[in-house]
Amino acid sequence: DKGVYPYYMLKEVDEQAIVARTLSQYYFDDNGQVINIDQSIIDRIKQADRLYIVAAGTSYHAGLVGKRYFEQWTGKPTEVHISSEFAYDQPLLSKKPFFIFLSQSGETADSREVLDNVVKQGYPSLTMANVLNSTLTREADFALPLLAGPEIAVASTKAYTAQVIVEAILAHAIGDSGLDLKHELAKVAVEMQVITDQKDQFKVIAEDALHDRHSAFYIGRGLDAAVAVESALKLKEISYVQTEGFAAGELKHGTISLIEDGTPVFALLTQSKTAGLVRGEISQVAARGANTIVIASQSLAKPGDAYLLPDVNELLMPLLAVIPTQLIAYYATLDRGLDVDRPRNLAKSVTVQ
Ligand code: F6R
């Protein structure tokens, strides 16, 4: 039930704070120790020499963020793969691979095909899915629930943030993040609420930047590049504004030629290591006429930035940075008079290959 909301997407964007809070309570005890992840999962992953995250669409983008947690906190090399590619072109695997499937529905045919192949080859696997008792959760050796509640809108929002959170919790349980992760996630939940309470700002940003536009860009580096591709998918998927998500440093290698007067370029700026470089890239596109809209963390902000994100631990900033971009996609779509929840040509779950 949509309740007071005009669209499920808006309701589901708002629910992200609740989901973050729920996950920090479900997966941790009062002392901040991870519970509800079987020791057998942790042991199996510790035996692996490399992790393979396999997923499609938005779930694949959540994998791009999770890679960072697995590599940084567990020391395991982690590859992220698009399931439709992996299914027919399996890359050379390490000696002891461990597979992690990410999926909202648990029914995506491309990902199921890979899991089938993996099971046949005798490799261990874990599925993180939102729909419990779905095919991907039943057919993998292990499963972890995303607990995001039903996601009805075609565009995935709360399942994405739940996936990123559960990846962080799993990586923390296997290795050590050096963080009081329960506490950090509780903080994320509070700040998510702060952002979703500022919807009017995103409505204005979306209408100003995108009203008459047919193309747009999202740029960032590192974790912000991962969020940029997800942000671009969200915007193009529902508003039909052709949008590219780009690693900011790669623009100058060709794509910058697409920048025209007024082309909206949304820049995500939450990583201190690369903030200076991204500022440079923002100036380069601005010099070619782009309308730059900067979404920066408070600690990295400069006058003129369009929106300031509350600061949480930098590795967790993707959980906050994605929310303005979901809302920008929502309001740009509304502004065009389109059905936010049901974009053309798409089904909620893609059960064909
Ligand atoms: C985008 C979107 C899709 C799905 C993709 C995978 O908003 O919803 O890209 O993320 O089809 O679906 P799941 O996660 O159900 O495997």
Side-chain angles (χ1 to χ4, degrees), residues 56-59 102-106 108 154-156 233-234 237 350:
T58 288
S59 296
L102 300 179
S103 180
Q104 190 290 126
S105 63
T108 298
V154 162
S156 183
L233 173 58
K234 211 91 310 166
E237 176 181 24
V350 185

Side-chain angles (χ1 to χ4, degrees), residues 80-333:
V80 193
H81 290 273
I82 294 171
S83 50
S84 60
E85 283 293 298
F86 198 108
Y88 298 95
D89 277 307
Q90 182 170 294
L92 188 59
L93 300 178
S94 66
K95 285 205 175 65
K96 289 187 203 159
F98 185 95
F99 284 85
I100 298 174
F101 291 85
L102 300 179
S103 180
Q104 190 290 126
S105 63
E107 301 297 343
T108 298
D110 291 322
S111 302
R112 286 175 56 183
E113 177 75 18
V114 180
L115 179 56
D116 272 354
N117 297 342
V118 161
V119 168
K120 279 186 199 129
Q121 295 169 84
Y123 297 129
S125 56
L126 158 77
T127 293
M128 292 181 189
N130 197 34
V131 179
L132 302 177
N133 217 11
S134 53
T135 308
L136 286 171
T137 60
R138 279 187 276 109
E139 294 182 355
D141 297 314
F142 307 104
L144 289 175
L146 297 176
L147 304 177
E151 193 182 67
I152 310 289
V154 162
S156 183
T157 53
K158 61 179 180 170
Y160 169 87
T161 42
Q163 284 168 341
V164 171
I165 291 170
V166 177
E167 288 178 291
I169 295 170
L170 177 61
H172 172 87
I174 299 162
D176 185 6
S177 64
L179 302 175
D180 178 350
L181 192 60
K182 179 186 163 105
H183 173 78
E184 294 294 333
L185 290 174
K187 220 157 76 182
V188 164
V190 170
E191 302 299 3
M192 281 176 158
Q193 180 77 54
V194 169
I195 299 170
T196 53
D197 282 347
Q198 296 177 335
K199 293 191 181 61
D200 289 354
Q201 293 193 41
F202 304 117
K203 184 168 188 289
V204 171
I205 291 172
E207 289 172 4
D208 284 358
L210 295 163
H211 184 72
D212 289 326
R213 291 284 150 190
H214 301 291
S215 74
F217 289 88
Y218 268 97
I219 62 169
R221 282 181 181 240
L223 285 173
D224 290 331
V227 178
V229 288
E230 167 55 15
S231 305
L233 173 58
K234 211 91 310 166
L235 179 58
K236 66 185 139 187
E237 176 181 24
I238 59 174
S239 74
Y240 316 144
V241 175
Q242 184 160 8
T243 311
E244 289 201 58
F246 242 84
E250 189 67 3
L251 268 187
K252 61 181 173 295
H253 296 290
T255 313
I256 199 165
S257 68
L258 291 176
I259 303 293
E260 295 175 345
D261 236 17
T263 303
V265 178
F266 296 90
L268 302 173
L269 213 134
T270 70
Q271 304 295 308
S272 47
K273 190 169 82 178
T274 49
L277 288 165
V278 178
R279 287 286 174 197
E281 282 134 5
I282 293 166
S283 309
Q284 286 157 22
V285 292
R288 288 159 179 83
N291 173 21
T292 56
I293 303 107
V294 181
I295 298 170
S297 51
Q298 249 146 28
S299 57
L300 299 173
K302 291 240 167 102
D305 289 351
Y307 185 77
L308 306 190
L309 296 160
D311 279 291
V312 294
N313 182 282
E314 266 193 18
L315 289 171
L316 301 177
M317 282 306 290
L319 292 164
L320 298 186
V322 77
I323 294 177
T325 77
Q326 296 167 342
L327 286 165
I328 289 167
Y330 175 84
Y331 286 112
T333 306

